[in-house]
Amino acid sequence: RKEVEQDPGPFNVPEGATVAFNCTYSNSASQSFFWYRQDCRKEPKLLMSVYSSGNEDGRFTAQLNRASQYISLLIRDSKLSDSATYLCVVNPFSGAGSYQLTFGKGTKLSVIP
Amino acid sequence: DAGVIQSPRHEVTEMGQEVTLRCKPISGHDYLFWYRQTMMRGLELLIYFNNNVPIDDSGMPEDRFSAKMPNASFSTLKIQPSEPRDSAVYFCASSLSQSGVWTSYNSPLHFGNGTRLTVT
């Protein structure tokens, strides 16, 4: 089983739609979680961190399910500018420790006019 | 503010040639990472430095790859000799620890815009 797995997509959704991505991770000891966004031919950028209690940032909601070892990203009211690849990232550590961020291969989202 | 700067943006070279990729991290950042991204394998960590010292190079694929960080504002990744399977986008990223302690949530990565390497 791969360490971090994502549905590669593409997800093609109309503007205004709600779309959700899931990501599963194999290391049950993973402690910290993130979503990065990568535009075509650009560098990845941090979209949001994912906390145990779940968190929201505008139209974006991230949730963590430790029992099932998955994290999710929900995008409401999709905009054309949301078109990108979304990378799921996990780390066995949340406190001070060695760096072990593992990136998923990403889920591609295309928002259609 | 200047972000992470990588050069060149694109590199096309023939198999067997030496390739040197360059990175200037964000000023003041004390961690520097080299990643490689391919369609097949996604983003893979090659090596990272803390205060210019290599900490973990277990991701470097083989001895043909080497990385240096002679000072806080410059790092290189060298491939010698290059092979077609090295074709990928190579990203450099930097990060700032909090009071000398790196934690995932407090030290996000800032990526450069990458070097697209093609080895023919």
Side-chain angles (χ1 to χ4, degrees):
Chain A
R1 183 179 176 186
K2 296 177 184 175
E3 290 189 60
V4 179
E5 288 199 71
Q6 298 182 248
D7 182 340
F11 284 60
N12 299 314
V13 302
E15 271 187 291
T18 295
V19 61
F21 310 134
N22 280 345
C23 160
T24 58
Y25 58 93
S26 60
N27 186 348
S28 59
S30 295
Q31 294 292 323
S32 52
F33 310 87
F34 309 89
W35 285 100
Y36 276 69
R37 169 192 168 130
Q38 186 172 22
D39 293 314
C40 186
R41 293 184 170 266
K42 300 285 188 181
E43 72 275 19
K45 293 182 179 178
L46 178 65
L47 176 66
M48 59 195 302
S49 302
V50 185
Y51 301 106
S52 295
S53 55
N55 47 298
E56 188 173 308
D57 182 3
R59 298 181 294 107
F60 298 83
T61 300
Q63 291 194 315
L64 168 64
N65 184 319
R66 287 187 184 275
S68 300
Q69 295 180 210
Y70 78 81
I71 66 174
S72 63
L73 178 67
L74 182 78
I75 306 175
R76 292 181 298 277
D77 188 23
S78 300
K79 312 291 185 190
L80 294 177
S81 57
D82 294 334
S83 297
T85 296
Y86 291 84
L87 307 173
C88 172
V89 186
V90 305
N91 187 351
F93 304 101
S94 61
S98 64
Y99 174 89
Q100 287 189 32
L101 287 185
T102 301
F103 285 75
K105 291 184 183 179
T107 297
K108 185 174 181 180
L109 171 65
S110 294
V111 181
I112 304 165
Chain B
D1 287 344
V4 176
I5 300 172
Q6 291 187 245
S7 64
R9 288 298 307 275
H10 302 275
E11 177 80 37
V12 180
T13 191
E14 292 183 349
M15 183 173 64
Q17 297 298 306
E18 177 179 295
V19 175
T20 299
L21 312 180
R22 297 174 176 79
C23 175
K24 177 179 170 58
I26 293 173
S27 177
H29 280 195
D30 53 352
Y31 279 80
L32 184 139
F33 308 87
W34 281 101
Y35 279 90
R36 175 171 70 176
Q37 187 174 36
T38 61
M39 290 290 290
M40 288 295 294
R41 300 173 71 88
L43 263 172
E44 302 174 283
L45 177 66
L46 300 177
I47 185 172
Y48 77 95
F49 296 82
N50 175 220
N51 291 323
N52 315 338
V53 176
I55 302 301
D56 184 353
D57 65 354
S58 59
M60 297 284 261
E62 37 193 288
D63 291 344
R64 298 184 296 107
F65 286 70
S66 62
K68 294 182 180 179
M69 192 166 186
N71 57 62
S73 59
F74 184 65
S75 177
T76 60
L77 177 68
K78 186 176 292 187
I79 308 172
Q80 165 64 19
S82 58
E83 296 183 2
R85 60 193 169 122
D86 301 330
S87 297
V89 181
Y90 290 80
F91 287 104
C92 174
S94 70
S95 181
L96 176 64
S97 65
Q98 303 298 314
S99 302
V101 177
W102 191 92
T103 62
S104 296
Y105 285 120
N106 295 327
S107 304
L109 300 185
H110 298 264
F111 285 84
N113 47 25
T115 294
R116 185 171 296 273
L117 173 65
T118 303
V119 183
T120 60

